[in-house]
Amino acid sequence: MIHSNDLQSLPARDAQAVVHGLTNLSVHAQRGASVIESGHGVWVRDIQGREYIEAMSGLWCIALGYGNERLADVAHRQMKQLAYYPLTNHKSHPPVIALAEKLLSIAPAPMSRIWFASTGSEANDCAARLSWYYWNAMGQPQRRQFISHRLAYHGNTIASASLSGVSYAHDRFNLPLPGFMHVTTPHFTRHAQPGESEEAFSDRLVADIERLILAQGPQTIAAFFVEPVMGAGGIVVPPARYYERLQALLKQHDILLVCDEVVTAFGRTGEMFGSTTMKLQPDLLVCAKALSSAYIPISALMIGPKVYQAIERQSGELGLFGLTMTYSGHPVASAVALETLKIYEEERIVDHVRDLAPAFLGGLQALSSHPQVKEVRGIGLLAGVELATGQGRECARFAEEEGLIVRAIGDTIAFCPPLVISASEVDELHRRFARALDRL
Ligand code: PMP
């Protein structure tokens, strides 16, 4: 139990004990932490008793909102029944079997098996490793390079940070590793040439990628990683034609397509998967975050038939499949994820997102005429408001003072509220954000 005296000193204690990601650590030592102690639905409360709308679902993840009793209960029951068991050496347990079956049944493209990990970073790392394993099995060991987008975010292990196209994941960390290449972000309004149509823009970007592939040699490229809609890069929805052309190019050169759906899976874009929204047919698909509504760490890598057959065959030749992680398919995490997917279905979460998206995006679009706003982008319950003035941080701070937690990504204010947000909470989010903009 924390006593009220301790509460006063929590920020100071934090500053002396905890390292924070995406935080200026020297500023943090002076400023201290905002300490959040509880949450319910889309709301969180700090230790001063102030309430906020958590319009970022934490880090794009707490899809069912805070305080979900069913998820807490299922974790409690599973911990008592079988708290842990590994999947190594032919062992398994009921929750992981049911979860894998469920994921296979809802996958947006034909998938053969599911590999589990704990975080999105790990699952992307495994996708990169499985791509290498696959190409070795196919007798093409020289296919080692990866392509992804500038400003993409694929995580922060050594491989997934190399896949990420953001400088903060690289600078002074000696990354990206060689063999990880980044191409132009498919952000039409930012990168289009004067007078260029969306179609011409898409064709130009894909032609550039083709030139890169040909220059490197197609036989050296293992896989192309995409986020169907880019999240942490500032909410970028590529033009429809872009993925159509890109997929044709990858097929032509036999390059694997990995869809990183860590943010977009499970309803966020108005379909169960962002791959469906953006008409993508991945060979490998990564999901995490909303898979358990963030109640417990778990991620999944869906493996398509072509890749799986080769993996199975090669592991037979080698005598075992050498990828293993202690918490792969953890029973408690699996049980919570399975219950999460049940709740999405019972609560018709995809329909709810579709119902609410016009008001959610419309209310932000309505702010386009605000002198501080340059562009409003988004899809489903995912949006970015790019400011005209380079005052992202100030805007996020003002929003917080108005009781609204958002994230500034450069000049873009990101919104990714829990999927269970109500129409009146969406209105309140808009009102609070409008007040923050007015204060700029
Ligand atoms: N991919 C995407 C698209 C992400 O947004 C994130 C995290 N924000 C990751 C991967 C990494 O996931 P994790 O932080 O769980 O490792």
Side-chain angles (χ1 to χ4, degrees), residues 207-284:
D208 287 346
I209 296 168
E210 183 167 29
R211 265 192 293 281
L212 174 72
I213 290 171
L214 293 176
Q216 296 290 322
Q219 73 288 352
T220 71
I221 316 289
F224 197 117
F225 279 67
V226 304
E227 295 164 83
V229 175
M230 293 173 72
I235 318 295
V236 177
V237 188
R241 162 100 147 220
Y242 177 73
Y243 282 143
E244 186 191 318
R245 299 302 304 268
L246 179 64
Q247 288 184 99
L249 176 69
L250 300 180
K251 268 215 170 67
Q252 187 189 336
H253 295 295
D254 237 359
I255 296 167
L256 296 176
L257 173 65
V258 185
C259 282
D260 175 351
E261 292 235 26
V262 169
V263 167
T264 52
F266 311 115
R268 179 59 63 189
T269 63
E271 293 280 357
M272 201 52 156
F273 289 90
S275 293
T276 306
T277 306
M278 303 307 288
K279 300 196 171 55
L280 286 157
Q281 285 283 303
D283 296 297
L284 297 165

Side-chain angles (χ1 to χ4, degrees), residues 113-156:
R113 299 287 191 281
I114 311 291
W115 165 260
F116 291 101
S118 300
T119 66
S121 301
E122 281 175 311
N124 276 317
D125 198 288
C126 292
R129 277 184 68 188
L130 281 195
S131 303
W132 283 343
Y133 196 80
Y134 167 75
W135 285 117
N136 283 320
M138 299 301 288
Q140 296 193 50
Q142 69 283 14
R143 283 209 189 243
R144 285 170 172 238
Q145 303 201 89
F146 297 103
I147 310 177
S148 53
H149 290 113
R150 286 188 203 111
L151 294 187
Y153 189 78
H154 294 297
N156 245 308

Side-chain angles (χ1 to χ4, degrees), residues 46-60:
D46 69 15
I47 50 171
Q48 271 83 34
R50 284 185 295 249
E51 297 222 314
Y52 306 83
I53 297 178
E54 219 326 334
M56 270 303 293
S57 299
L59 274 177
W60 329 81

